[in-house]
Amino acid sequence: MKAVILAGGLGTRIAEESDYKPKPMVEIGGRPLLWHIMKNYARHGIKEFVICLGYKGYVIKEYFFNYYRHTADLEINLHTGEASVLNSQAEDWNIMLIDTGQDTMTGGRVKRVRQHLGDATFCLTYGDGLSDIDISSEIAFHGSHGKLATVAAVQPPGRFGVLNIGSESNVTSFEEKPQDEIGWINGGFFILEPAALDYIEGDETSFERAPLTNLAKDGQLMAFRHHGFWQPCDTLRDKRELQALWDTGNAPWKA
């Protein structure tokens, strides 16, 4: 099974980083978000990736082009220029890096890599969110219902405390950032059948709008409830929170 990762957006809300690199290349613990996401898929046996490039896609290409040597012990003869790899720690992944356009929307990017997916079920996610989601369980759930699409549903922690107020303006209870403040949302980890791509018209199609809306309307979209860790990296604050989890050894997405 292949995993498609959307890595072409601008990431304007974290411009401190994305002015110089694609948002999936923002580093947590010295590794790009993209690497962390791929690492989680690999733990579930998925080691073939199709990366949808766009904004500053060359940065991602250069990272993986040089990855083998950057993770290796090398011996270099400075006189002859000859180099040999003594020991490499590189993962056994196969990665396609596909330019899907600078301004293409999310649905259009997936549509553009259709030819690389064959006729098999595949995974889809964004390149800017970390989670300890059980991909194997989501795949099994997807196979059990026979629909075209499965989306991971998550309950992000609220950013504000909630007041429950009585009829006389008295506070009856206070909940500090309740987990279910806004209910279930799109967690961004999908399992799709190739036919789901027929719901995407072209480059201007946002996958989160008409395709998902129409899949749901046709009864072809199911939700896999994920109760564990999930956090996007949309802002500098998000990055600092994720980095703090890594630094303290409390990163739930790390095996």
Side-chain angles (χ1 to χ4, degrees), residues 49-206:
F49 301 95
V50 180
I51 313 298
C52 299
L53 306 179
Y55 173 70
K56 295 187 181 297
Y58 66 89
V59 176
I60 298 176
K61 286 182 179 179
E62 289 177 353
Y63 178 80
F64 285 113
F65 186 81
N66 295 307
Y67 187 84
Y68 180 77
R69 286 178 172 79
H70 284 178
T71 58
D73 295 329
L74 303 175
E75 180 179 354
I76 302 173
N77 185 310
L78 296 183
H79 179 68
T80 64
E82 294 180 356
S84 58
V85 175
L86 302 177
N87 178 41
S88 177
Q89 302 299 318
E91 291 82 356
D92 58 339
W93 303 344
N94 188 72
I95 306 170
M96 292 185 184
L97 301 168
I98 310 298
D99 184 356
T100 54
Q102 183 82 4
D103 302 314
T104 309
M105 301 300 286
T106 51
R109 293 189 189 282
V110 183
K111 190 87 168 181
R112 283 202 184 195
V113 300
R114 173 69 181 84
Q115 62 182 310
H116 302 293
L117 302 178
D119 298 320
T121 304
F122 66 96
C123 301
L124 170 68
T125 194
Y126 306 101
D128 60 357
L130 298 179
S131 176
D132 62 353
I133 184 170
D134 188 336
I135 298 295
S136 296
S137 292
E138 185 180 13
I139 292 172
F141 172 75
H142 177 79
S144 72
H145 60 61
K147 306 297 183 182
L148 294 181
T150 297
V151 57
V154 300
Q155 290 184 297
R159 291 197 180 272
F160 306 99
V162 173
L163 297 177
N164 293 311
I165 302 175
S167 59
E168 298 180 1
S169 297
N170 58 306
V171 176
T172 59
S173 65
F174 175 80
E175 298 177 70
E176 175 62 14
K177 300 180 180 179
Q179 186 80 12
D180 59 352
E181 178 186 346
I182 59 175
W184 294 95
I185 67 168
N186 170 15
F189 288 87
F190 300 91
I191 312 296
L192 302 173
E193 297 302 318
L197 302 185
D198 295 338
Y199 285 76
I200 301 171
E201 290 189 6
D203 283 359
E204 296 77 24
T205 305
S206 173

Side-chain angles (χ1 to χ4, degrees), residues 203-221:
D203 283 359
E204 296 77 24
T205 305
S206 173
F207 185 66
E208 302 77 25
R209 296 188 181 276
L212 288 183
T213 298
N214 291 328
L215 280 164
K217 187 184 300 181
D218 292 347
Q220 291 295 324
L221 180 63

Side-chain angles (χ1 to χ4, degrees), residues 34-43 46-49 64 67 90-95:
L34 185 56
W35 179 88
H36 290 282
I37 294 166
M38 296 166 73
K39 198 75 171 176
N40 188 34
Y41 276 109
R43 281 192 287 270
I46 298 173
K47 300 181 180 182
E48 293 192 43
F49 301 95
F64 285 113
Y67 187 84
E91 291 82 356
D92 58 339
W93 303 344
N94 188 72
I95 306 170

Side-chain angles (χ1 to χ4, degrees), residues 9-27:
L10 292 175
T12 54
R13 286 186 289 174
I14 191 169
E16 300 91 343
E17 295 268 357
S18 61
D19 278 352
Y20 309 100
K21 65 183 76 169
K23 188 163 65 163
M25 296 304 289
V26 170
E27 292 189 356

